Amino acid sequence: EGMPLPQRIFPPEKISMDWQQRQRPGAGLFNLGNTCYINVILQCLTYTPPLANYLLSYKHSQSCQQPGFCMMCTMEAHVRKVLCSSATAILPGAVLRDLKFIGEEFEYGRQENAYEFLRCTLDAMHRACLSCNLDVSSQETTIVYQIFGGFMKSRVTCLSCQAVVDSYKAFLDVSLDIRTASSLTTVLEDCVTPKQLDQKECFRCSKCKKKAAASKKVTVHHAPRVLTLCLERADQWTGTKISKFVEYPDYLDLRPYMSDTAGEPLLCSLYAIVVHSGDTCLEGHFLCYAKASNGLWYRMDDESVDNCDIHTVLGQQAYLLFYAR
């Protein structure tokens, strides 16, 4: 509200949430030494239907004018190689070669965090879609934001006069504190529960002009087509790994966590998860589970791609969860 209408970068009506072609799962990915954090994110993105459909269509590379490194072109080539290869495993060579362009903090041969690699990869893909003179209001309209992006609404209520102040923020993923929760729904319910602001968060009401107590409620205002959730497994106070099991559903209804809770159910289907094994968050191993275009689930552990069932998937100590509307 009050902002200029964005220049449309990618028309949302061209985004297909269903696989355009159904086939067996693609190749596994070789681990060249501590590259499992890269492999799991590449596999989860490869099996994200709207993204894979777009990349397999060559729409980006046909019009790309970016000199040098382009993450969208890199992902386009990678996804095609994985899904079309007759080999049981391939090397994600282009991604490894250009690792520093994806994130300056990544060092080849060193174990890194899969969540940070996901964030940097999406950001690099987003940057590749932007033109240098793009206005600010259009930054959330690239194919990346059309698929992974949503908006959070933050409502602060003055507890003296009940006046409200609303603000909105775009997001590509959501991090969740799981320390006191036993299930994903419990975590999400806690997120949308109003909380009184800390006294240190000085709030002066614009209506009653008082320095008053206030509460804050955060809801999903616009749901993304693909919801990416990070279950925070590193304790923010001690740094130790939180190894508890947090229950998560095959189908998630986002409606109870929306700004408008009165509408139709907003169902999202689980299609990929990332699991971390190891005693600490600074070491160990990443593997993932993903649903291929044939509708079947597979355990993807570097070069190994093996059948599994949904009960196995739902029984994991998940770190990242991917849901598609």
Side-chain angles (χ1 to χ4, degrees):
E1 194 170 317
M3 291 182 66
L5 289 174
Q7 303 166 9
R8 182 68 67 193
I9 303 304
F10 187 84
E13 62 272 12
K14 291 188 177 180
I15 296 175
S16 174
M17 295 300 293
D18 296 318
W19 285 100
Q20 296 300 291
Q21 54 191 48
R22 297 183 181 276
Q23 60 188 59
R24 61 174 180 79
L29 302 178
F30 287 115
N31 187 331
L32 291 190
N34 290 329
T35 57
C36 58
Y37 74 95
I38 295 173
N39 290 347
V40 291
I41 298 306
L42 291 178
Q43 292 289 43
C44 289
L45 293 178
T46 297
Y47 293 97
T48 298
L51 179 63
N53 288 335
Y54 174 73
L55 295 174
L56 290 171
S57 72
Y58 287 117
K59 283 192 176 79
H60 178 82
S61 61
Q62 286 174 351
S63 59
C64 181
Q65 298 178 349
Q66 187 162 318
F69 172 74
C70 172
M71 192 62 198
M72 287 299 289
C73 288
T74 298
M75 282 300 299
E76 186 178 282
H78 174 79
V79 169
R80 183 165 292 276
K81 189 176 178 182
V82 168
L83 296 181
C84 301
S85 174
S86 59
T88 57
I90 65 165
L91 180 67
V95 176
L96 296 174
R97 183 186 65 238
D98 293 320
L99 197 55
K100 285 293 183 182
F101 291 107
I102 301 172
E104 292 182 359
E105 67 271 34
F106 298 127
E107 188 173 315
Y108 181 72
R110 185 178 68 190
Q111 179 67 286
E112 305 280 2
N113 189 298
Y115 176 50
E116 292 305 317
F117 184 72
L118 169 66
R119 298 191 66 165
C120 288
T121 299
L122 292 180
D123 187 53
M125 291 167 64
H126 173 59
R127 291 197 308 271
C129 296
L130 295 175
S131 59
C132 59
N133 60 351
L134 187 65
D135 66 292
V136 174
S137 64
S138 296
Q139 291 192 19
E140 283 84 37
T141 64
T142 65
I143 180 67
V144 176
Y145 267 90
Q146 291 286 357
I147 293 174
F148 297 95
F151 278 88
M152 289 292 188
K153 176 181 178 181
S154 176
R155 169 164 288 187
V156 177
T157 304
C158 174
L159 298 182
S160 175
C161 70
Q162 301 304 306
V164 299
V165 178
D166 293 336
S167 59
Y168 304 88
K169 184 179 181 181
F171 69 89
L172 287 174
D173 60 79
V174 180
S175 289
L176 299 171
D177 185 348
I178 62 171
R179 285 175 298 169
T180 60
S182 59
S183 68
L184 177 59
T185 53
T186 304
V187 179
L188 294 174
E189 286 165 5
D190 180 65
C191 287
V192 299
T193 301
K195 297 175 181 62
Q196 188 160 336
L197 291 178
D198 191 288
Q199 290 182 343
K200 294 178 182 178
E201 298 182 69
C202 186
F203 173 78
R204 186 176 294 277
C205 181
S206 58
K207 183 178 180 182
C208 67
K209 309 301 181 184
K210 292 180 181 178
K211 196 175 178 181
S215 68
K216 182 178 181 181
K217 181 180 181 179
V218 178
T219 53
V220 179
H221 194 68
H222 174 72
R225 288 177 172 82
V226 170
L227 176 66
T228 305
L229 301 173
C230 174
L231 306 186
E232 296 177 353
R233 297 232 167 242
D235 190 290
Q236 58 181 321
W237 304 112
T238 65
T240 57
K241 183 181 175 182
I242 302 173
S243 298
K244 65 190 292 186
F245 174 74
V246 177
E247 185 181 1
Y248 48 94
D250 188 6
Y251 290 92
L252 176 67
D253 182 10
L254 281 183
R255 183 57 64 187
Y257 319 111
M258 300 288 292
S259 301
D260 177 13
T261 58
E264 293 287 323
L266 203 58
L267 282 180
C268 298
S269 174
L270 185 71
Y271 73 89
I273 73 169
V274 169
V275 178
H276 175 266
S277 61
D279 296 329
T280 75
C281 295
L282 300 176
E283 57 186 11
H285 181 64
F286 289 102
L287 57 97
C288 67
Y289 294 78
K291 185 188 288 186
S293 61
N294 60 7
L296 301 178
W297 281 94
Y298 295 87
R299 181 180 187 270
M300 300 181 179
D301 186 355
D302 290 329
E303 64 268 24
S304 301
V305 177
D306 301 303
N307 284 83
C308 67
D309 57 32
I310 185 60
H311 301 293
T312 300
V313 175
L314 297 179
Q316 299 301 311
Q317 194 185 103
Y319 177 43
L320 302 177
L321 299 169
F322 295 81
Y323 285 92
R325 279 170 60 180

